[in-house]
Amino acid sequence: MRKYSWHMVLLVALPLALGAPASAVLPTSIPTTSPTAEAPEQIIEATRDEGQDTLIAERIEGIFAELPAFSSVNVEVNKGVVTLSGKVADPAGIGRAGNIAARVSGVVTVENRLERDLSVEENLSVLGQMSGLAQNFVKALPLILVSLLAAILIGGLGYLIAGFRGLWSRIAPNIFLAELIRSAIRFVFVVGGVIIALDMLGAGTLMGAVLGGAGVMGIALGFAMRDTIENYVASLMLSIRQPFRANDWVLIDQYEGRVIRLTSRATILMTLDGNHLRIPNAQVFKAVILNYTRNPQRRFEFELGIDADDDPPAAMACGIEALAKLDFVLADPEPSARLQKVGDSNIVLLYLGWIDQREADWFKSRSLAIAAVKDALEQAGFAIPEPIYRLRVDSRSDALPIGRPVAAVESEAGAARAATQQAETLSQDVRPEGEIEQMVEAERRSSGKRAKDLLDPSRPVE
């Protein structure tokens, strides 16, 4: 080891003696710095040439002379420190000027004292930029006109195709769906024309922004108009399903009446009182619908009580026989009776009968059937129990009919029978009442084509 070190000393000392630098004999493969070390920061030199500040100032001024926005900037350089002063019209130009000066070789630091020029004369350059934009617009005007013409032609083609009402009416199951298809065709062609026009102008970025904004707006509108959209979809489904016809007598949840029309927003009913009732189609679509008109045969029922000591099967047979004698009660299905319940002092019987609604009114038929069964039970000796109270307040109260002359009693009974016979004669009319039905038909005729009724009699009913 000592011998090797001695030889190394000789190798270094010999060139030094001959006047050669020591670095000439050192191995070139030995690195002077670590290969992983970062590059050192710029070192400020201790001495500078006398004309270097002048060269830096001339270089920066030459660069600024090529930039009209920095033509009025003053540049001073002292020992590598660059001082910028003056005014610029553009606020962003202040930082830009400092960055340009700092990139010149030999600059130690930059003292940026630039200010924004708020004078009217300098800011008139904005008008010059606007003038340039106007000139560019004039140059691009032919291309703009061509793209606008293309958008109009494409949109017009969509309106032309959507204008074939007869074609879409034959394809779609109803006028509502046909109108929806026509609106969709117009929308697709108009949007397609706008996209093609923007693409011709090279406004692809704007087109993407418009489509993205339209998508976000569509989602927001979807949440905001959720009920309206639900009602719109329900109208479409009801127009396809056709759950009822015009003038049908329906019960929708707790709302009862005859159907006037089905529109794109609501179902219009005329109540049995003659009033208009609008039900949103979203509610109609989810509701339980009872249609009284669909089946002409309809059953009525009512309860009557007999004394607890009477025979229920005999009373049931008597009532069924009375119902069968009525002309408006159908023989098929035949009338029937049931024992409904046993009370404290009576037995409640339920009587049922069927009518044809095309020939007999339900309310009238039920009313006459109750009177007929009651009379039949009383004539057969069945007691109709009811609480009877007589309160005598003073001596002027009417006396009980005990001990009254027989002629007077028979006279009153005869008058009562005559009144009863007259009432029966007047009440035998069970023809269906058509007042509400006639009012519905009159309104439908008066509205005519002005009202878009989605009920189509040619379509099958659900």
Side-chain angles (χ1 to χ4, degrees):
M1 183 68 181
R2 292 179 181 179
K3 183 177 179 180
Y4 179 79
S5 302
W6 176 255
H7 284 285
M8 291 294 294
V9 172
L10 290 178
L11 288 174
V12 174
L14 183 58
L16 290 176
L18 297 177
S23 60
V25 298
L26 291 176
T28 57
S29 60
I30 300 175
T32 57
T33 59
S34 175
T36 59
E38 297 181 357
E41 298 181 357
Q42 183 180 1
I43 300 175
I44 301 176
E45 299 179 0
T47 59
R48 293 177 60 84
D49 296 337
E50 296 180 358
Q52 190 171 1
D53 290 342
T54 304
L55 294 175
I56 293 175
E58 292 177 354
R59 177 58 174 161
I60 296 175
E61 290 175 352
I63 295 173
F64 287 169
E66 299 296 329
L67 301 174
F70 302 141
S71 59
S72 60
V73 175
N74 298 322
V75 181
E76 296 181 2
V77 182
N78 186 14
K79 295 182 181 181
V81 178
V82 179
T83 302
L84 303 178
S85 60
K87 296 181 179 181
V88 293
D90 187 6
I94 298 175
R96 183 186 175 194
N99 293 332
I100 293 174
R103 292 169 59 188
V104 176
S105 177
V107 175
V108 177
T109 186
V110 177
E111 183 72 17
N112 196 339
R113 299 178 182 176
L114 292 175
E115 299 177 356
R116 183 183 177 185
D117 191 354
L118 300 178
S119 63
V120 178
E121 294 80 2
E122 291 296 333
N123 285 275
L124 287 176
S125 60
V126 178
L127 298 178
Q129 296 176 2
M130 294 178 62
S131 177
L133 292 176
Q135 294 177 358
N136 294 333
F137 176 77
V138 173
K139 293 179 181 179
L141 187 59
L143 180 60
I144 295 175
L145 293 177
V146 171
S147 60
L148 181 61
L149 180 60
I152 293 175
L153 289 176
I154 295 174
L157 179 62
Y159 272 84
L160 178 62
I161 296 175
F164 299 131
R165 294 179 178 270
L167 174 63
W168 302 118
S169 298
R170 287 192 297 268
I171 294 176
N174 54 65
I175 59 174
F176 180 65
L177 188 57
E179 184 64 27
L180 183 62
I181 294 174
R182 294 172 62 244
S183 300
I185 291 175
R186 288 194 294 264
F187 176 79
V188 170
F189 274 81
V190 169
V191 173
V194 172
I195 292 176
I196 292 176
L198 291 177
D199 186 64
M200 292 175 63
L201 293 174
T205 304
L206 177 61
M207 180 175 61
V210 169
L211 293 178
V216 174
M217 185 175 296
I219 295 174
L221 289 176
F223 280 104
M225 304 177 65
R226 180 178 56 186
D227 295 338
T228 303
I229 295 175
E230 180 184 5
N231 194 63
Y232 196 79
V233 174
S235 302
L236 176 62
M237 298 301 297
L238 287 174
S239 66
I240 297 175
R241 292 174 54 186
Q242 298 280 327
F244 38 71
R245 296 291 194 205
N247 227 325
D248 277 3
W249 182 0
V250 297
L251 176 65
I252 302 175
D253 283 342
Q254 72 271 24
Y255 306 109
E256 184 175 1
R258 287 190 175 271
V259 178
I260 298 178
R261 69 177 58 90
L262 172 66
T263 67
S264 59
R265 292 185 301 173
T267 298
I268 314 300
L269 299 183
M270 180 172 288
T271 65
L272 303 182
D273 300 329
N275 299 318
H276 276 227
L277 179 64
R278 300 175 61 90
I279 309 176
N281 285 334
Q283 183 176 350
V284 176
F285 183 72
K286 295 182 291 186
V288 176
I289 302 176
L290 177 60
N291 195 326
Y292 295 111
T293 308
R294 185 65 55 82
N295 183 14
Q297 295 178 343
R298 184 178 177 184
R299 191 184 72 179
F300 64 85
E301 60 183 38
F302 57 90
E303 294 180 350
L304 284 178
I306 60 175
D307 193 87
D309 296 332
D310 290 334
D311 185 11
M316 293 166 60
C318 180
I320 293 174
E321 182 180 0
L323 289 175
K325 292 179 180 179
L326 298 175
D327 296 335
F328 54 85
V329 176
L330 299 179
D332 186 19
E334 61 183 8
S336 60
R338 301 169 187 172
L339 198 156
Q340 188 75 357
K341 63 181 178 179
V342 177
D344 296 335
S345 59
N346 65 343
I347 298 175
V348 180
L349 302 179
L350 178 67
Y351 295 93
L352 308 99
W354 291 81
I355 63 169
D356 189 344
Q357 295 185 95
R358 295 170 296 186
E359 300 177 358
D361 183 79
W362 187 85
F363 292 104
K364 291 181 179 179
S365 301
R366 182 176 181 272
S367 178
L368 292 177
I370 294 175
V373 173
K374 176 180 179 296
D375 291 342
L377 292 177
E378 290 178 340
Q379 291 176 6
F382 294 96
I384 307 298
E386 57 178 336
I388 300 176
Y389 302 95
R390 184 174 181 84
L391 181 61
R392 180 173 296 176
V393 179
D394 52 28
S395 58
R396 291 178 296 177
S397 300
D398 293 338
L400 293 175
I402 299 176
R404 297 177 63 187
V406 177
V409 175
E410 290 180 354
S411 177
E412 291 179 1
R417 284 194 298 269
T420 302
Q421 291 176 358
Q422 184 180 6
E424 289 179 355
T425 302
L426 296 176
S427 62
Q428 289 301 318
D429 182 15
V430 293
R431 291 176 299 176
E433 294 183 354
E435 292 84 356
I436 302 297
E437 185 176 359
Q438 293 173 4
M439 287 192 294
V440 171
E441 290 296 339
E443 179 166 344
R444 289 178 58 83
R445 287 193 302 269
S446 63
S447 299
K449 296 182 179 180
R450 294 178 299 171
K452 294 184 177 180
D453 188 7
L454 303 182
L455 296 176
D456 187 1
S458 63
R459 300 292 301 176
V461 181
E462 183 185 33

